[in-house]
Amino acid sequence: MSIPIRGSELFVDKFYITTPLYYVNAKLHVGHTYTTVFSDALARYYKACGKKVFFLTGSDEHGQKIFDAAQKQGKTPKALADENVSYFVELWKRMEIGYDKFIRTTDTDHEERVKKILGILWEKGDIYKGRYEAFQCVPCESFWNEGELKDGKCPQCGGPVKHVSEENYFFRMSKYKDIIKEKLIKNPLLIKPEIRYNEIMGKIDGAMDDKSISRSDFDWGIPLPFDEKQVTYVWFDAILNYITALGYPDDMDMFNRFWPADAHVIAKDILWFHTLFWYSILEALGVELPAVYAHGYWLFKGGKMSKRTGSVIDPFELSDKYGVEPLKYFLLSELPEGADTDYSEDRLVEKFNNDLVNTFSNSLHRTMTMFEKYLGGKFAAVAPGEHEEKLKNSFAQASAAYRKHFREFRINMALKDIMDFVRAINGYIQDTEPFKSADNDKARTSTIIYHVLESLRNAAVMLYPVMPGTAGIVLKNLNRPPEGIEFEQELKWGLLDTAAAYKKNEPIFMRLK
Ligand code: ME8
């Protein structure tokens, strides 16, 4: 079969973003929630930029780890998967995640497409049979040779490994080492942030041996089309989801419309699989390489927050307690690029009070209160002067920085840009003292309040990708469309209607103890 290749310059109007397919062996925690919420914010941002977005998430259901977990619970692997997939869907509904497709690796069309892809690689001679000797880490679903182990333990998680030796099928990964190295040197932005790019460049030479891609000691997987006694290695099956979900190799229209992915969002734990392993499979298929963004870890009790150690925070509980959007705001503002962060509930409360209550919500509420009190909710006149020009410049700077940071996937910085702008608005109120002119110069008070509200309206527009509900409440209150925001229409100066009548709402957020 010949595989058409996309002509990239035709497709600059699209944005294809994916989360990892989470394993269905257990419930998800704040770490998984972070990745999905981060991806959702990017999807919403690019939608607001006018791009056609396709946002994919899903579940990883085959392999030893799921098989073992199901056995322990006295269930079939499929029953365990069904149960946890319902829970995943419920969690994403709670987090108001607007994905376009949820793929399960047990979906029939995915399984059929994986078989077709295996067939293509087999025909091409990129898969061959051999004896496999390795050390397996079941929780990581990874295999290592002896030299890669650290003190006899899994180099990824430090857990115990078991020796496996069997006849199975290998993928000729080594064949693609040079071309991938060359492509990565030419396109350093394929792997973001830079620290992760450097990590992979440092590993290429030692991490691209041929890899076993089948298992013969259990049967919870996709049978190989050329040897039904073996099943596909879970990572080979799961990683293909990013193209099978777009129809590859059956529906090439959809595939060509969205491939390559603009961001496979993951954490650094699965970086090798999403770069060197995935890239060599794609190279073998003659398919363009996608971009990967790997964030750091949420730490808890001194280590990585992890299902295995049970040191986890439940996102349902947290959102019950603080609300979904404050939780999203906290998660996205807290994890800096390229680093890990300790989870702290005190920090969540502190951020909530400082940013969402004191800075944002109070500023709006105080202004609306003055607006009603001094002007009866109607603008008298709007005559900008020097102070207003300065505020307008702050907006221009803040929105440019915000867009730049979002484009760089530095959402924490983009949120800081918004809060810095709101602090500048509060500084403007302090400097201009609208209450002082209320009695003798209504036009001046009106001008100031207009500019504060116009600034807060723009701040709400910028908050929209992360907190769409909150932004919507503010925008509705200010007589602008509360959803389906497009920056082209809404992120600009001077849109607030001077002729409309406005009413004060309840404060959006109240201080937490
Ligand atoms: O690896 N901090 O699934 P998984 C930040 N099925 N992010 C975290 C985290 C933490 N402490 N813990 C988990 C798999 N994550 C495979 C993926 S894709 C084809 C197959 C997030 O359920 C982060 O995104 O172990 C990480 O990469 C992912 O969950 C691992 O999820």
Side-chain angles (χ1 to χ4, degrees), residues 496-511:
L496 195 64
D497 184 357
T498 48
Y502 296 87
K503 269 210 169 83
K504 185 174 78 174
N505 272 345
E506 291 300 305
I508 303 179
F509 297 114
M510 303 292 271
R511 207 179 158 74

Side-chain angles (χ1 to χ4, degrees), residues 16-84:
Y16 177 33
I17 182 162
T18 68
T19 73
L21 301 194
Y22 305 113
Y23 287 126
V24 291
N25 62 321
K27 303 279 183 269
L28 303 179
H29 56 68
V30 155
H32 308 98
T33 307
Y34 174 80
T35 310
T36 304
V37 163
F38 184 95
S39 308
D40 185 62
L42 278 170
R44 287 177 195 271
Y45 173 83
Y46 278 103
K47 241 178 235 171
C49 289
K51 292 199 191 256
K52 179 79 187 125
V53 172
F54 193 77
F55 175 16
L56 178 72
T57 190
S59 52
D60 190 352
E61 307 188 11
H62 293 125
Q64 183 91 53
K65 171 160 138 157
I66 311 301
F67 184 81
D68 291 354
Q71 242 186 0
K72 247 194 207 152
Q73 297 179 33
K75 292 174 187 152
T76 64
K78 185 65 168 59
L80 176 68
D82 287 347
E83 199 179 296
N84 278 320

Side-chain angles (χ1 to χ4, degrees), residues 5 11 34 46 59 67 87 93 114 198 210 222 276 279 297 311 334 374 407 414 428-429 458 482 496 510:
I5 297 178
F11 293 89
Y34 174 80
Y46 278 103
S59 52
F67 184 81
Y87 158 89
K93 200 165 139 200
V114 169
N198 293 339
D210 293 353
I222 302 175
L276 300 180
Y279 286 174
Y297 293 150
S311 57
E334 192 68 354
Y374 301 130
R407 276 201 307 273
Y428 164 79
I429 303 176
N458 274 299
L496 195 64
M510 303 292 271

Side-chain angles (χ1 to χ4, degrees), residues 161-217:
V161 290
K162 73 175 188 193
H163 182 246
V164 288
S165 167
E166 58 184 48
E167 277 273 293
N168 49 38
Y169 291 84
F170 285 73
F171 168 58
R172 258 184 235 287
M173 194 167 163
S174 56
K175 179 174 159 190
Y176 297 101
K177 182 160 101 186
D178 292 340
I179 179 76
I180 285 171
K181 203 171 180 177
E182 195 185 310
K183 288 195 173 180
L184 282 175
I185 289 169
K186 271 199 203 134
N187 302 293
L189 290 178
L190 274 184
I191 304 174
K192 285 195 284 199
E194 199 181 348
I195 182 175
R196 302 277 89 93
Y197 172 79
N198 293 339
E199 178 186 327
I200 285 299
M201 292 312 279
K203 265 190 191 159
I204 283 194
D205 288 328
M208 287 195 69
D209 301 340
D210 293 353
K211 291 285 180 276
S212 163
I213 52 136
S214 72
R215 312 288 304 134
S216 63
D217 56 350

